[in-house]
């Protein structure tokens, strides 16, 4: 059920007016826009509807399952849809009837990326080598969601083992972007992002190793949140690059992404890298517009990363980012330009580190301990055939790159040097965030591109991660939220603004992002193809 939006109350802010089918954002003097109401939280709307008796969990579940049946043949967001959705919804209705207390996620339909383990449900990481694997346990994040009343609607498509930026590297299907079915949704969490954009689920979980939550959020016009490394347990997340991997959240609003993040955050004894830092009450940051001051972000220091707006960034993306910065300034923020001298070094360092760690992590998939087995007369042949037939081309290429980088004689030249660059990147971020509350940049150099456009040019695809990989190398939290539309597709393509914060300061990002989102005027981030979908 799509939430009912209420007209916004006026704020003394500079209006942002956009022309949908234009590569750049036009000035306020040259265009007029219709009033578009701010987005409302799906989670809070669902809770109010259930507690008031306006609807039931079963009715909500049926409406989402119906939408999946209508849209899934074109979008292909899900690899598996749970058979227990209506049963789980019925249990929530029974608890309401008995007057029992409901968890904060009661009745919320949640998609889960296919590399996050779900008990008794296929969890394949979109790889043939795990085609029939059903874990005997839930990942900690999934377990917490279920304990709070959330309903796992299904497993979403992804690039195999998280290796890719388009979801084209899935062994099973290619997901389409709800804004334009001929374009990619981003990756590797493209299925999770597209499912939220298409309102096939209310929120979803993804994983982010080098931007795999944030780049798809930008391409699909939704909110994507990557928490600080250690904020969310990685137990049950299939490892790609263990020092970079985090579980992240998608939502149609900042509030939804923040509430899902709060639900899955916290220390876990099953993950030695999870942090014991207290988890703030994120929901306190999601005030209604009635409580906003005329300049609700007065005094917040925002640094615009200079290197992210230089050559290689599409003009429409650059204009959208600059206009978003102007909007933050109108809200009271103090804007400065900052430089990260090590910024350009992040991309090669990331791919050396991520490939090296993946070559080690994926060695467990040998056809003996995990995954599909190809019968052979000798052990080495069993390994060779099981891995050769089970892994796709992109995964094989990254395993080879990582094995090479870690081999004798090359370790110091590649892996050690990449770790030294990682230290420089952390120092640059630390210096910039000592002078600013948050940093901003585009989420990607371009809007969503055509399916197949970069499949045969891996270097061009890798270059698209340049805006996001440094954040993972530094272990910082970052959020992407839609900030405008550029030319492309039937009625424009969304562009995302990336906000980066200090370690474990997710609360500040959510506050700034929520106010930015609620006061942004002139753009609706619901794909036009959904206008006639019930």
């Amino acid at each position: 059920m799509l939430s009912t939006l209420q007209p916004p109350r006026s704020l003394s802010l500079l209006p942002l007016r956009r022309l949908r089918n234009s590569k750049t954002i036009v000035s306020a003097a040259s265009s007029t826009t219709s009033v578009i109401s701010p987005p409302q939280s799906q989670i809070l709307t669902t809770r109010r509807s259930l507690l008031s008796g306006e609807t039931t969990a079963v009715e909500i579940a049926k409406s989402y399952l119906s939408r999946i049946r209508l849209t899934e043949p074109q979008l292909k967001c899900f690899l598996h849809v749970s058979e227990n959705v209506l049963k789980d919804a019925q249990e929530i209705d029974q608890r309401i009837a008995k007057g029992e207390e409901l968890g904060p996620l009661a009745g919320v339909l949640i998609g889960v990326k296919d590399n996050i383990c779900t008990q008794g449900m296929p969890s394949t990481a979109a790889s043939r080598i795990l085609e029939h694997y059903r874990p005997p346990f839930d990942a900690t994040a999934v377990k917490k969601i279920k304990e709070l009343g959330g309903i796992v609607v299904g497993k979403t498509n992804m690039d195999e083992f998280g290796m890719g930026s388009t979801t084209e590297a899935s062994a099973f299907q290619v997901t389409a972007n709800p804004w334009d079915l001929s374009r990619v949704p981003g990756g590797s969490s493209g299925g999770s992002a597209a499912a939220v954009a298409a309102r096939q689920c209310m929120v979803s979980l993804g994983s982010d190793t080098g931007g795999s939550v944030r780049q798809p959020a930008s391409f699909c016009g939704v909110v994507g949140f990557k928490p600080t490394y250690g904020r969310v347990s990685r137990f049950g997340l299939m490892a790609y690059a263990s020092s970079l991997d985090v579980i992240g959240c998608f939502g149609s609003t900042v509030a939804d992404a923040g509430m899902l993040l709060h639900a899955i955050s916290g220390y876990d004894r099953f993950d030695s890298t999870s942090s014991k830092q207290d988890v703030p009450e994120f929901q306190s940051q999601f005030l209604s517009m009635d409580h906003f001051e005329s300049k609700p972000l007065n005094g917040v220091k925002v640094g615009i990363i200079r290197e992210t707006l230089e050559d290689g960034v599409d003009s429409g993306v650059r204009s959208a980012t600059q206009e978003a910065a102007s909007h933050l300034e109108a809200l009271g923020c103090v804007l400065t330009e900052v430089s990260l001298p090590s910024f350009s070094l992040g991309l090669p360092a990331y791919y050396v580190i991520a490939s090296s760690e993946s070559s080690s992590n994926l060695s467990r998939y040998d056809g003996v301990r995990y995954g599909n087995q190809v019968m052979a007369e000798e052990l080495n042949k069993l390994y060779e055939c099981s891995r050769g037939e089970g892994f796709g081309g992109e995964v094989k290429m990254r395993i080879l790159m990582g094995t090479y980088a870690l081999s004798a004689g090359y370790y110091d030249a590649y892996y050690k040097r990449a770790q030294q660059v990682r230290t420089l990147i952390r120092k640059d971020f630390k210096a910039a965030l000592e002078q600013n509350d948050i940093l901003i940049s585009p989420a990607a150099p371009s809007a969503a591109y055509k399916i197949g456009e970069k499949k045969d040019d891996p270097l061009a695809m890798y270059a698209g991660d340049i805006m996001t990989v440094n954040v993972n190398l530094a272990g910082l939290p970052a959020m992407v939220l839609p900030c405008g539309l550029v030319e492309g597709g039937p009625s424009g393509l969304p562009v995302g603004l990336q906000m980066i914060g200090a370690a474990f300061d997710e609360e500040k990002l959510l506050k700034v992002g929520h106010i930015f989102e609620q006061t942004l005027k002139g753009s609706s981030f619901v794909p036009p193809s959904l206008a006639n979908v019930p």
Side-chain angles (χ1 to χ4, degrees):
M1 290 164 43
L2 297 176
S3 60
T4 303
L5 303 180
Q6 302 298 322
R9 303 185 190 280
S10 61
L11 291 172
S12 52
L13 302 173
L14 296 178
L16 296 181
R17 297 183 170 92
R18 294 172 178 76
L19 202 58
R20 278 195 165 188
N21 292 314
S22 172
K23 287 187 177 179
T24 58
I25 299 172
V26 298
S27 67
S30 61
S31 172
T32 59
T33 43
S34 59
V35 174
I36 298 175
S37 52
Q40 302 296 307
S41 165
Q42 300 274 327
I43 294 177
L44 294 180
T45 300
T46 298
R47 187 172 183 82
R48 282 194 296 266
S49 298
L50 291 176
L51 293 178
S52 67
E54 179 185 336
T55 189
T56 67
V58 168
E59 289 172 343
I60 293 173
K62 283 181 177 178
S63 70
Y64 275 88
L65 291 174
S66 174
R67 190 176 295 116
I68 289 173
R69 283 192 294 270
L70 286 171
T71 58
E72 190 59 12
Q74 294 79 37
L75 294 176
K76 295 182 172 61
C77 298
F78 284 92
L79 293 175
H80 175 78
V81 176
S82 174
E83 300 167 352
N84 298 320
V85 173
L86 293 179
K87 177 186 172 185
D88 294 342
Q90 193 171 27
E91 290 177 0
I92 291 170
D93 287 335
Q94 290 171 353
R95 293 188 64 186
I96 294 173
K98 294 177 183 177
E100 296 179 8
E101 186 175 346
L102 295 180
L105 296 181
V108 174
L109 280 292
I110 302 170
V112 177
K113 189 176 179 179
D114 201 39
N115 62 345
I116 301 173
C117 289
T118 45
Q119 185 175 8
M121 196 182 297
S123 301
T124 70
S127 178
R128 293 288 180 191
I129 205 163
L130 289 174
E131 189 168 1
H132 303 294
Y133 178 61
R134 291 176 180 254
F137 67 97
D138 282 325
T140 297
V142 173
K143 182 181 177 184
K144 288 185 174 184
I145 283 170
K146 290 181 176 179
E147 289 173 349
L148 297 176
I151 299 173
V152 175
V153 69
K155 304 304 291 292
T156 57
N157 195 27
M158 57 180 286
D159 289 295
E160 185 179 4
F161 284 104
M163 300 181 190
S165 303
T166 64
T167 317
E168 293 173 290
S170 169
F172 304 112
Q173 61 191 31
V174 176
T175 299
N177 191 315
W179 288 82
D180 181 350
L181 297 180
S182 68
R183 296 178 186 267
V184 300
S188 62
S189 307
S192 290
V196 171
R199 306 309 190 255
Q200 293 181 329
C201 56
M202 298 178 193
V203 290
S204 64
L205 293 182
S207 64
D208 193 310
T209 305
S212 291
V213 164
R214 289 161 289 151
Q215 183 248 33
S218 177
F219 281 12
C220 293
V222 297
V223 178
F225 203 110
K226 173 219 171 290
T228 306
Y229 185 83
R231 173 67 87 185
V232 177
S233 170
R234 291 186 298 113
F235 180 73
L237 171 66
M238 297 177 190
Y240 163 18
S242 301
S243 72
L244 302 168
D245 295 339
V246 296
I247 292 178
C249 306
F250 291 99
S252 55
T253 65
V254 173
D256 283 340
M259 284 185 279
L260 181 60
L261 175 62
H262 185 269
I264 64 174
S265 294
Y267 173 72
D268 177 23
R269 65 187 181 89
F270 294 112
D271 176 10
S272 62
T273 64
S274 72
S275 172
K276 293 184 179 180
Q277 286 259 8
D278 290 338
V279 181
E281 183 54 63
F282 296 148
Q283 191 168 332
S284 63
Q285 302 302 322
F286 309 135
L287 301 176
S288 70
M289 290 183 65
D290 297 337
H291 296 89
F292 289 175
E293 300 173 357
S294 61
K295 290 187 179 291
L297 294 177
N298 192 40
V300 174
K301 297 178 181 178
V302 176
I304 307 172
I305 302 174
R306 179 192 306 159
E307 290 81 1
T308 64
L309 296 175
E310 294 177 347
D311 292 343
V313 181
D314 285 1
S315 60
V317 172
R318 185 183 295 112
S319 296
T321 304
Q322 291 168 340
E323 194 72 14
S326 298
H327 182 50
L328 286 169
E329 193 169 30
L331 293 169
C333 293
V334 179
L335 267 60
T336 57
E337 189 179 76
V338 300
S339 177
L340 302 179
S342 60
F343 179 82
S344 63
L345 304 176
L347 195 65
Y350 164 79
Y351 274 101
V352 169
I353 293 170
S355 297
S356 298
E357 293 186 11
S358 72
S359 72
S360 174
N361 279 324
L362 270 62
S363 65
R364 72 192 69 181
Y365 304 108
D366 54 14
V368 177
R369 291 168 290 183
Y370 295 94
N372 292 331
Q373 183 181 95
V374 176
M375 299 305 297
E377 293 182 359
E378 59 176 3
L379 188 61
N380 284 339
K381 196 69 176 176
L382 184 149
Y383 291 156
E384 179 185 337
C385 294
S386 296
R387 289 168 66 83
E389 294 183 19
F391 288 140
E394 183 67 28
V395 173
K396 290 176 184 175
M397 182 167 63
R398 298 199 192 195
I399 289 174
L400 288 171
M401 287 194 300
T403 303
Y404 179 83
L406 292 175
S407 60
Y410 296 100
Y411 179 91
D412 287 349
Y414 292 102
Y415 187 74
K416 184 178 178 181
R417 183 170 294 182
Q419 291 289 13
Q420 291 169 335
V421 168
R422 186 178 195 171
T423 300
L424 292 177
I425 290 169
R426 285 173 173 163
K427 288 180 178 178
D428 284 349
F429 269 118
K430 185 174 185 292
L433 287 166
E434 284 175 351
Q435 302 298 319
N436 296 276
D437 294 304
I438 66 169
L439 306 177
I440 62 171
S441 76
S446 70
Y449 41 85
K450 295 282 187 178
I451 292 173
E453 183 177 329
K454 299 186 179 182
K455 191 172 183 180
D456 297 325
D457 188 357
L459 292 180
M461 184 177 70
Y462 296 166
D465 296 334
I466 192 167
M467 302 295 179
T468 54
V469 294
N470 290 288
V471 176
N472 295 80
L473 291 168
L476 299 175
M479 176 175 62
V480 165
L481 67 167
C483 66
L485 296 167
V486 297
E487 186 180 55
S491 56
L493 297 170
V495 172
L497 175 71
Q498 180 174 226
M499 297 181 177
I500 305 164
F504 298 102
D505 201 5
E506 289 88 355
E507 194 172 16
K508 188 175 294 177
L509 288 178
L510 290 168
K511 176 183 178 180
V512 174
H514 175 68
I515 292 173
F516 176 93
E517 166 195 80
Q518 293 296 303
T519 55
L520 188 67
K521 301 179 187 298
S523 290
S524 171
F525 297 104
V526 177
S529 60
L530 296 182
N532 299 318
V533 177

